[in-house]
Amino acid sequence: ASEPRLQAIDPSKLSITKTTTPKQLMPNEELVFGRYFTDHMLSLEWTASDGWQESRITPYQNLSLDPATCVFHYAFECFEGMKAYKDKNGDVRLFRPDKNMARLNRSSSRIALPTFDSEAMIELIGKFTKVDERFIPSARGYSLYLRPTMIGTQKTLGVGPPGSALLYVIASPVGPYYPTGFKAVSLEATTYAVRAWPGGVGNSKLGANYAPCIVPQMQAAARGFHQNLWLFEADGEEYVTEVGTMNLFAAMKTKDGKKELVTAPLDGTILEGVTRDSILELARERLVPEGWIVSERKFTMKEVADAAEEGRMLEVFGAGTAAVVSPVRNIGWRGKMVDCGLEAGSEAGPIATRMKNWIEGIQYGEEEHPWSVKV
Ligand code: PMP
C-alpha cells in the first residue's frame, strides 16, 4: 500500500499544564494491564479547515463529547499500542516508534481521519513520556504502555468524512506479560467467525476490528482455549492468518529436513505487526546463517497438522507488543489437538526464547540498536 501524504504538526507549539494532584504510584506487583494511567495525557485537535492545532499536555481527564459525535455512531476510531522502556542508566527509550506512527497514519487514512507528521508526533510522545517518566518502572520486563488514539469528533449523524478529529495519547504502566516465566497457550483454530478478508480492513488498527472478536474469544474460552487462531478459507484450503491480537510464527522442518520459520504474508488480512517485522529481520540476520529458511508465505492449518503428525513440528508462537512472544502448546482444529512440539514440562521453544531475549535486549538498551530510540 502506498504511504498516505502526511499533514503538518508544529511540535514547537506545545503547552504543558501539570497536574496539581499527582497520583500515587502503584507497587510493581499490583500493575494490571491497561487499568492504571499516568498523571497526564497528550492531545491535539484537527479541523478540516485549519489542520492540526497546537498540542497540549494536560492532566489526565475525561473527554466531553456531544452524543451525536460521529465516533460513537460510525466507529471513526483507530489506535496504536507501543511501549516506553527505562534502561539501566535511567534513560527512556521507545521501540521503533516510526513503525507505529506509519501504521496509525495508514489506519487513520483508511477511515477518512487525518494523517499527521510522524516525526513531529514522535517528538511530542517523547516529551509526554518524559513528563510522566516517574511512572515507568525500571525493572526488566516493566514498561509504559502508550496508547495513541484518533477519533472523529464531528457532531453529526450524517455518514461522511469527519470535519474534525482528536488525536490523544494516554499511558499505562505495565508489568511483564509472564511475571513467573512463559506460559504456553492453547489456540482454537476458528473458521465459524472470520476476523478479516481480502479487500477488508484487517490490516488497519481500527477499534471496529476488535469488538467483533470478543464473542468468538469467549466461545473459544468456554471450550478451554486461550485465544482464537484465525483461519481464512479460500480455494478449499484453511490458511493460517494471525492469533487473537498477535501475529503467528511456526517453526517446522520441511519434508526434506530443512528448518523453516514461517509467518503469513502481508496480504491485507493481517495486521502488520511491529514485533512480526522485528522477528523477521532478526531471523534473517541471525537464524539464516544457522541454516534456517525464513518465509513470509501463505500456509495452511493442514500443513501445520501434517508437520505435527510427521514429527516435523519444532515450535509455534504468537508475536506482539504486549508479550513480545507467546509460545503455543497446541491448537484445537476440527475436533483434534495439534501438538506444537513443546517438550513435556517446557513452556517455550528455543526460537521464541531467543527472540524474546534479543528483542528485550534491544528494547531495554542492553544491545545498542537503531530500533531503540532514546527520548
Ligand atoms: N495482530 C493484531 C490483530 C493486533 O492487535 C496486534 C497488536 N497490535 C498484533 C497483531 C501485533 O502487532 P504489534 O507487534 O505491532 O504489537
Side-chain angles (χ1 to χ4, degrees), residues 260-326:
E260 184 188 26
L261 182 65
V262 56
T263 195
L266 301 175
D267 65 351
T269 67
I270 62 168
L271 197 77
E272 192 171 341
V274 178
T275 317
R276 172 190 179 280
D277 187 79
S278 307
I279 288 174
L280 284 171
E281 205 166 315
L282 290 172
R284 288 183 179 123
E285 179 190 300
R286 303 178 189 188
L287 297 182
V288 167
E290 296 177 9
W292 284 81
I293 301 167
V294 177
S295 308
E296 289 176 77
R297 64 170 177 86
K298 286 196 180 292
F299 66 107
T300 64
M301 194 52 219
K302 181 168 185 308
E303 230 187 286
V304 173
D306 286 351
E309 188 106 320
E310 295 163 17
R312 293 184 288 104
M313 175 57 76
L314 299 171
E315 60 182 283
V316 174
F317 57 91
T321 296
V324 187
V325 295
S326 176

Side-chain angles (χ1 to χ4, degrees), residues 103 195 205 210 242 244-247 271 273-275 319-321:
R103 188 167 70 188
R195 194 195 86 91
K205 206 161 166 64
Y210 289 79
E242 58 185 323
T245 57
M246 289 181 286
N247 295 111
L271 197 77
V274 178
T275 317
T321 296

Side-chain angles (χ1 to χ4, degrees), residues 215-266:
V215 166
Q217 146 91 70
M218 288 161 67
Q219 289 170 341
R223 289 186 281 267
F225 297 96
H226 296 97
Q227 285 289 348
N228 302 90
L229 172 61
W230 301 108
L231 301 185
F232 187 77
E233 293 187 71
D235 333 313
E237 300 282 358
E238 292 172 323
Y239 292 100
V240 174
T241 65
E242 58 185 323
V243 46
T245 57
M246 289 181 286
N247 295 111
L248 190 87
F249 284 83
M252 302 180 280
K253 278 204 171 132
T254 62
K255 293 210 177 194
D256 51 4
K258 298 206 177 83
K259 290 180 291 185
E260 184 188 26
L261 182 65
V262 56
T263 195
L266 301 175

Side-chain angles (χ1 to χ4, degrees), residues 5-25:
R5 244 190 74 227
L6 306 181
Q7 299 195 37
I9 292 176
D10 182 351
S12 67
K13 289 197 184 129
L14 169 67
S15 69
I16 302 180
T17 312
K18 293 260 180 86
T19 183
T20 52
T21 53
K23 295 173 184 166
Q24 220 177 341
L25 293 183

